[in-house]
Amino acid sequence: SNKNSAATMIPTEGLLPSSAFSAVVISACYLATTLIGKSVMKRSMLPSANLHTLKLVYNLIQIMLCSYMTLEGVFLYRSSGHNLLSCKQNSFGPEAAQVCW
């Protein structure tokens, strides 16, 4: 086996739909979940929940995660020898995938 293949493997490789059929199935599942959830929520006798605190915490976590990924991307970009005026072909794809993963 090739020792370098594990180091250069992209973590999300194989997760995206590889055919039109799988993309349609994923879309259909999403739409079914949305429509079923909407009808369940309309018929629910439960009182509405106050989600202000949950939304605040979620948004703060999203801000921190996006800030981290942006800074890591900038540091990776600069450490790979890139600048704003030139770009090396295929020089930091797997490393950038690790930041996103």
Side-chain angles (χ1 to χ4, degrees):
S1 86
N2 188 356
K3 292 180 181 181
N4 291 334
S5 65
T8 59
M9 189 179 90
I10 298 172
T12 56
E13 188 173 10
L15 292 179
L16 294 176
S18 58
S19 68
F21 177 74
S22 60
V24 169
V25 169
I26 291 170
S27 298
C29 289
Y30 170 77
L31 288 174
T33 303
T34 304
L35 294 173
I36 291 169
K38 184 178 180 180
S39 67
V40 167
M41 294 303 283
K42 280 185 177 181
R43 295 181 185 161
S44 178
M45 296 302 214
L46 297 173
S48 297
N50 184 359
L51 300 176
H52 179 73
T53 303
L54 182 63
K55 290 190 295 186
L56 177 68
V57 170
Y58 172 80
N59 286 331
L60 289 174
I61 290 171
Q62 286 296 314
I63 290 168
M64 290 187 301
L65 181 61
C66 290
S67 298
Y68 163 75
M69 290 177 63
T70 300
L71 290 173
E72 282 292 321
V74 168
F75 294 147
L76 178 62
Y77 186 78
R78 295 295 294 156
S79 69
S80 296
H82 295 291
N83 61 37
L84 292 176
L85 301 177
S86 68
C87 182
K88 297 177 185 176
Q89 292 281 332
N90 300 325
S91 60
F92 79 126
E95 294 86 1
Q98 290 290 345
V99 170
C100 293
W101 182 251

